[in-house]
Amino acid sequence: MLGVLFTAFKKKRSLEETVLKIQQGDISLRNDTIESFKPFIAKTVSSVCKRYIYESDDEFSIGMIAFNEAIEKYSPEKGRSLLAFAETLVKRRVIDYLRSQSKQKEVVLDLSLNDDNDQSHIYIDNENSINEYEKQKESERRKEEIQLYISHLQDFGLSFEDLVENSPKHADARKGAIMIAKLLMEDDELKEILFAKKRLPVKQLEGKVELSRKTIERNRKYIIAVAIIINGDFLYLNDYIKGAIDG
């Protein structure tokens, strides 16, 4: 079977359109799509496990399930490609699986020992090892999230530094800008303008908020940067927004 890639090319159908048909119930197309993207899944899982991945590995199965989940949850309105979304989801699911396996090994090792002192020593060593592993993986996830975020910012001609440099100095101003970004993401028409035309719909916003056009323009970069965070699957950067509101 040549798979869904040939079909997509022949019918000039994009991957996103293929996913829409799958979400509408095309099971055969779902199976073909997952089959054709096995190399992508294996590569993504391998990047987390730091070793070659075989289809018989449990981690590969986790990756397959996560890829299928990505197909189910994908929405083009999020402003990013299916593969970018799938890569993030596969990595997170595999990391969660590895973390759960590490904790299970800790319990098994602890129960297999008879001497109380040895149990305590091994438990502490293993717990420290797991904590270090989790810190390392969390750091990697943060870096991956920031890289993904930077790619979205570049679509608007912005940089990560713009989020910092253009952050309103006063807490009230920050909260106001964040509220505008939230309003922007809750309004389908304004959201469409932002992501389709890659510009802030200042005129439309002016009629919906109690802020002047000048104020909106002054915070344009910051509002767009925050809107991208709200619209995307950015767990850590969402904490930044909470901190900006609280601060």
Side-chain angles (χ1 to χ4, degrees), residues 47-83:
S47 70
V48 176
C49 298
K50 308 301 181 185
R51 64 179 176 83
Y52 185 83
I53 292 295
Y54 297 91
E55 290 190 14
S56 58
D57 290 332
D58 290 342
E59 291 86 350
F60 181 79
S61 297
I62 298 297
M64 291 273 285
I65 294 171
F67 188 83
N68 183 62
E69 182 184 353
I71 291 176
E72 289 288 347
K73 294 182 176 180
Y74 176 73
S75 173
E77 285 76 21
K78 288 287 187 180
R80 56 172 165 163
S81 70
L82 168 69
L83 294 186

Side-chain angles (χ1 to χ4, degrees), residues 180 183 187 190 201-213 216:
I180 292 177
L183 172 65
D187 188 305
L190 299 185
V202 177
K203 183 177 180 180
Q204 292 89 333
L205 282 171
E206 189 179 6
K208 292 179 178 289
V209 298
E210 297 180 357
L211 291 173
S212 67
R213 185 186 186 93
I216 297 173

Side-chain angles (χ1 to χ4, degrees), residues 8-173:
F9 173 77
K10 185 176 180 180
K11 296 184 178 181
K12 296 182 180 180
R13 184 172 63 207
S14 71
L15 180 57
E16 282 70 23
E17 290 172 331
T18 298
V19 170
L20 179 59
K21 287 184 176 293
I22 293 173
Q23 292 174 343
Q24 291 172 344
D26 193 326
I27 298 175
S28 177
L29 189 57
R30 177 194 298 274
N31 294 336
D32 286 348
T33 301
I34 293 176
E35 180 69 27
S36 67
F37 279 97
K38 278 185 176 181
F40 168 81
I41 296 170
K43 181 180 179 181
T44 304
V45 174
S46 178
S47 70
V48 176
C49 298
K50 308 301 181 185
R51 64 179 176 83
Y52 185 83
I53 292 295
Y54 297 91
E55 290 190 14
S56 58
D57 290 332
D58 290 342
E59 291 86 350
F60 181 79
S61 297
I62 298 297
M64 291 273 285
I65 294 171
F67 188 83
N68 183 62
E69 182 184 353
I71 291 176
E72 289 288 347
K73 294 182 176 180
Y74 176 73
S75 173
E77 285 76 21
K78 288 287 187 180
R80 56 172 165 163
S81 70
L82 168 69
L83 294 186
F85 176 59
E87 182 179 11
T88 299
L89 197 58
V90 168
K91 286 182 177 180
R92 286 181 178 174
R93 295 294 180 263
V94 172
I95 288 171
D96 289 342
Y97 170 76
L98 294 175
R99 183 184 301 166
S100 68
Q101 290 300 105
S102 296
K103 291 182 178 179
Q104 288 178 18
K105 288 178 181 179
E106 171 194 316
V107 173
V108 171
L109 181 59
D110 184 47
L111 293 176
S112 67
L113 299 172
N114 294 320
D115 185 88
D116 291 340
N117 291 330
D118 286 343
Q119 282 184 351
S120 176
H121 174 72
I122 295 297
Y123 179 86
I124 292 173
D125 285 348
N126 209 27
E127 184 177 39
N128 289 339
S129 177
I130 291 172
N131 288 337
E132 187 61 33
Y133 169 81
E134 290 183 352
K135 288 179 182 179
Q136 179 183 347
K137 289 304 178 184
E138 182 175 352
S139 176
E140 291 176 3
R141 288 197 295 272
R142 285 181 182 275
K143 290 178 182 178
E144 290 171 0
E145 184 172 289
I146 289 174
Q147 288 302 316
L148 180 60
Y149 180 58
I150 289 173
S151 71
H152 286 296
L153 287 173
Q154 289 173 345
D155 291 338
F156 290 84
L158 302 176
S159 66
F160 189 74
E161 288 72 19
D162 286 319
L163 178 59
V164 179
E165 294 176 3
N166 292 278
S167 175
K169 299 298 184 290
H170 299 290
D172 288 344

